[in-house]
Amino acid sequence: MAFDDIRIVLIEPAHPGNIGAVARAMKTMSLSRLVLVRPSSFPSEQADRRAMGAIDLLQRARVVDDLDQAIGDCRLVIGGSARARTFPHSVLDARQCGARLVEETAMGEPAALVFGPERTGLANQDLDRCTYQVLIPANEAFSSLNLASAVQLICYEIFLAAHEPVAPVVLAPAERPSSQAEMEYFYEHLERALDSRGFLDGEMREVTMMKLRRLFGRSRPNSGELKLLRTLMRFIHREGE
Ligand code: SAH
């Protein structure tokens, strides 16, 4: 595992100071890849000041327009949120999250940790793109950490896990879970196929798609299995004609 394989993605960070504090938190724990999705102000002097000796991370940070660009090539994407959702995601605590990232990047594949905006947190549609949710256990009555504190804590767990003798997940290429971009392509196909049969009519549309995302996301199909599912959808589509 290389720390460089794990990227930290911030969605719409509102305060440049937080971006700097995140860079500093990452560097103390040996992480270096920062991706910013639609930051409100970047580059920024305030971010540079808060980064202290971690300005190099800010200089190399990637700025993108949407989350898919930040995580499309990742097979493992973990989204941070303090809130348990109405339709629960597979949830890891910070320790399990660190261990999982270290195990699964052992083959040199990229993985991502996604954090939401300070005020509103991670939106459902962004969490839907994640393999797991990470929830840092905290005071039930006050569980939302500052953005950079949340990043610090999880990066610390990655740092500790990286120094443990963990068994890496070694899978042949054909057996590896599909990337986030492949999963997204599949969900689009699934939605079109269900739509064409009138299955998604009505107000349950969004909820149904979310449940299907949870179901398929949890099983983490490899590319051969996704191909089988696509063939199945085409077959069902034809049968109904
Ligand atoms: N007001 C927001 C919190 C935003 S904090 C809300 O109620 O959801 C900014 C980000 O830090 C969050 O989107 C999340 O990614 C991360 N974060 C904060 N506290 C966390 C916790 N206890 N567990 C996991 N992630 C957390």
Side-chain angles (χ1 to χ4, degrees):
M1 170 259 180
F3 288 106
D4 281 353
D5 296 324
I6 302 174
R7 71 186 72 144
I8 301 289
V9 180
L10 306 183
I11 301 183
E12 295 180 355
H15 304 295
N18 276 340
I19 302 177
V22 163
R24 184 176 180 183
M26 289 170 62
K27 193 165 175 179
T28 57
M29 297 296 139
S30 304
L31 275 86
S32 63
R33 303 266 184 241
L34 177 60
V35 185
L36 306 170
V37 182
R38 300 182 299 272
S40 65
S41 163
F42 187 81
S44 124
E45 235 177 71
Q46 217 182 329
D48 290 355
R49 264 202 308 277
R50 287 285 296 281
M52 302 288 289
I55 287 188
D56 53 322
L57 266 69
L58 296 182
Q59 285 162 346
R60 279 190 292 135
R62 243 176 85 206
V63 178
V64 297
D65 296 330
D66 63 46
L67 180 60
D68 287 338
Q69 289 173 36
I71 61 175
D73 57 333
C74 297
R75 298 173 202 276
L76 175 65
V77 180
I78 304 184
S81 175
R83 278 177 288 146
R85 307 289 166 139
T86 320
F87 298 102
H89 216 288
S90 307
V91 178
L92 307 176
D93 65 27
R95 189 138 305 165
Q96 294 165 326
C97 171
R100 184 52 73 98
L101 282 163
V102 170
E103 276 165 24
E104 290 207 21
T105 50
M107 309 276 294
E109 300 241 10
L113 260 166
V114 182
F115 295 86
E118 295 90 332
R119 213 169 51 78
T120 48
L122 207 56
N124 277 333
Q125 78 195 59
D126 295 331
L127 194 56
D128 280 350
R129 287 169 153 67
C130 299
T131 326
Y132 301 103
Q133 174 181 349
V134 56
L135 196 155
I136 301 165
N139 180 353
E140 269 182 37
F142 193 69
S143 61
S144 170
L145 280 73
N146 160 270
L147 175 59
S149 305
V151 172
Q152 180 79 70
L153 226 139
I154 294 175
C155 291
Y156 173 65
E157 292 296 342
I158 295 170
F159 188 83
L160 290 187
H163 293 89
E164 288 277 315
V166 287
V169 176
V170 181
L171 294 173
E175 290 169 10
R176 293 183 198 157
S178 302
S179 69
Q180 194 271 336
E182 288 169 318
M183 290 303 290
E184 217 44 53
Y185 182 67
F186 165 69
Y187 292 133
E188 278 165 26
H189 187 173
L190 178 65
E191 188 164 2
R192 273 200 312 276
L194 295 178
D195 242 346
S196 71
R197 312 287 310 131
F199 186 77
L200 288 176
D201 288 350
E203 57 202 46
M204 293 305 282
R205 177 193 197 90
E206 264 185 39
V207 171
T208 305
M209 276 315 295
M210 185 191 287
K211 285 183 175 172
L212 289 170
R213 274 173 175 269
R214 295 280 197 273
L215 171 65
F216 288 113
R218 213 169 40 237
S219 65
R220 305 185 72 193
N222 61 36
S223 56
E225 289 163 339
L226 271 195
K227 206 167 144 202
L228 176 66
L229 284 169
R230 279 199 294 269
T231 312
L232 193 77
M233 287 190 300
R234 274 196 292 273
F235 182 77
I236 292 171
H237 195 167
R238 262 205 314 273
E239 280 289 284
E241 277 168 1

